[in-house]
Amino acid sequence: MNKDNLKIALGYVLICLIWGSTWLAIRIGLHSLTPFIAAGLRFGAASIFILTAMRLQGIKLQTDPHSVKLYIMMGLFSFALPFGLVYWAEQYIESGLTSVLFAVHPFAVIIFSNLMMPQSKIGPYQIIGTILAFVGVVVIFGEGLSVDFDEDFWGMLAVFGSGTIQAWIVVMMKKHGEELHPLALNLVPLMIAGIIMISLGLILEDSSSWVFDGGAILSILYLALFGTLVSFTTFYWLMKRMNVVILSLSSFITPIIAIVLGWLILNERLSLQVLMGSSLVLIGILFANFKGLRNYYRLKSGKFSS
C-alpha cells in the first residue's frame, strides 16, 4: 500500500472511530443540557477551533460568491437541519431505531450520485455491499427493536429525513466543493449552525434545566474538537480522494463502535446477535470495496512477478 492509500485508509478508520464515540459523548452531555443548546455549543466551539487552526496554518477563507453559496448550503443542510432533526428525534425514539433509520444515508448517496453525477461509476459490488451492511445493522438492533407508528412516526420521519438530507449535501459538495480547503469548508457552516441551534435552544428549551457541570463541558469540548473539527475536516478531505458511496458506508460502522464503547465503558450487553450483525456489516463493506481490492492485489502481484 502506497503512502497516499495508507493516509486514506487511516483517515477512514479515524472518522469511524470518532463518530462511533460521539453517541456516548452526546449521551453524557444530554444528562445536563437540552438537545439544541448542546448541539449549538458544540458547533460554536468547533468553529472557534477551526478558526484558530486556519490562523495558525495561514489558510485564507474563500469569499467569492460560489464559495459563500456553498457555505450557506453546508450550514443549513449539513449541520443545522440534519443534526437538529436527529437531536429532536432522539427525545422520542430509541437509539437503535435511529441507527437503523439513518442507514438510509448510503442508499440515498447512491441515488443522488446517479442523478447528480452520472459520470460516477457505482457498480453492483457497491450496491450489494451496501445492502449486506444494512442487513447487518438491522440484525444488530433487531432484537430489541419496537416500532409504534402512532407514537414514533414523526421521530422516524425526522431521522429518515436527516439521513437523506446529509446524503444530498455530500454529493453536492463532492460535485461543487472540490476547490475548497476542508477547514474553510467547515468554518462558516459551523458558525451558521451554531447560531441557529443556540437560538432554537434559547427560544424553545427550558434554560433552567441547563447544568454546566464537568460532564457537559467535556462532552461539548470532545464533540467540538474531535467529533466535529477532526472528523468533518478528515471527511471532506477523504471526499476529494475516494468514492463517495464507499465513504458513506462509514455510517454503518459507527453503530458497531458505539455498541463496543457502551460495552467497555457503560457495561452494556454485547450479544451474539450484535457480533453476527457486526460481521455482516464488515463483510458488506469489504464486498463494496471488492473491485478496488482486487485491482490492488492484481497490481501488487504483477509488480512482484516482474
Side-chain angles (χ1 to χ4, degrees), residues 56-185:
L56 291 174
Q57 297 180 42
I59 300 169
K60 293 183 179 180
L61 182 70
Q62 294 100 313
T63 56
D64 58 278
H66 175 69
S67 298
V68 171
K69 180 181 177 181
L70 292 179
Y71 296 150
I72 295 172
M73 291 176 64
M74 278 274 292
L76 294 175
F77 299 112
S78 186
F79 294 111
L81 184 55
F83 275 88
L85 288 171
V86 168
Y87 271 76
W88 177 82
E90 289 246 32
Q91 299 176 96
Y92 304 103
I93 62 175
E94 298 175 354
S95 58
L97 181 56
T98 302
S99 296
V100 172
L101 290 169
F102 195 81
V104 68
H105 177 72
F107 294 103
V109 167
I110 292 174
I111 294 170
F112 287 126
S113 294
N114 278 318
L115 291 175
M116 299 163 60
M117 300 173 63
Q119 74 279 9
S120 62
K121 297 180 179 179
I122 300 173
Y125 290 117
Q126 293 175 4
I127 296 174
I128 295 171
T130 301
I131 293 171
L132 282 174
F134 173 75
V135 172
V137 171
V138 174
V139 169
I140 290 171
F141 296 104
E143 183 179 8
L145 203 62
S146 60
V147 179
D148 183 341
F149 283 98
D150 291 333
E151 296 289 334
D152 300 339
F153 175 77
W154 292 109
M156 292 169 62
L157 186 63
V159 175
F160 190 87
S162 175
T164 304
I165 291 168
Q166 288 196 338
W168 172 77
I169 196 65
V170 163
V171 178
M172 178 67 71
M173 298 310 297
K174 173 74 173 178
K175 183 176 181 179
H176 297 291
E178 290 283 332
E179 75 283 358
L180 295 176
H181 190 281
L183 284 173
L185 187 60

Side-chain angles (χ1 to χ4, degrees), residues 257-276:
I257 295 171
I259 289 171
V260 171
L261 287 175
W263 172 61
L264 290 173
I265 298 174
L266 301 178
N267 295 318
E268 295 179 347
R269 186 171 63 94
L270 188 64
S271 66
L272 178 61
Q273 184 171 341
V274 169
L275 295 176
M276 290 173 59

Side-chain angles (χ1 to χ4, degrees), residues 5 13 57-58 79 83 104 112 179 194 199 206 228 232 248 265 281:
N5 287 338
V13 171
Q57 297 180 42
F79 294 111
F83 275 88
V104 68
F112 287 126
E179 75 283 358
S199 299
D206 180 13
T228 307
F232 278 101
S248 72
I265 298 174
V281 170

